[in-house]
Amino acid sequence: MSDKLKIKATVYWASLNRKNEMADAYTVDLCNLSDKAVAALEDMGISVQENLEKKPEQGKYITCKSQRPIKAFDSDGDEIVEDIGNGSKSICMIGSYAWTYKNKKGVSPSLAKLVITDLVAYADGGNISADDEDVL
């Protein structure tokens, strides 16, 4: 399964430089996929998710996982080393791979390249004011 697909996506929950503890892998959600992208991904055998109740801002999305850090680049081809915030826009090259684990098997997306076209700065909430006037 070596065919690659070029898609536009909004980035959410990018754990590119440190492992996502819940997944024990480097992960990124590629969200707000177009109907055309969804159809092409499903043709590759990749399951596209949608959770309108809990994640309406993400639309239709896939989660890419890796056991190695995921590199992101800007439009000029320079590597982005800072954390990537939710809502960043991207163009991605997606492949797929078949897997078997115990009695289960499936096809998962493989992120071949991640180019950030509109970077949203990551905000970790560290600058919260604790003034008495602000506290409810």
Side-chain angles (χ1 to χ4, degrees), residues 72-80 89-91 113-119:
F73 300 91
D74 64 20
S75 297
D76 294 327
D78 297 322
E79 188 173 351
I80 298 173
K89 304 294 184 198
S90 70
I91 296 176
K113 188 159 190 178
L114 175 60
V115 177
I116 303 299
T117 57
D118 184 13
L119 179 64

Side-chain angles (χ1 to χ4, degrees), residues 100-116:
T100 304
Y101 180 72
K102 296 188 178 180
N103 292 334
K104 296 182 179 181
K105 62 182 180 176
V107 176
S108 290
S110 174
L111 182 56
K113 188 159 190 178
L114 175 60
V115 177
I116 303 299

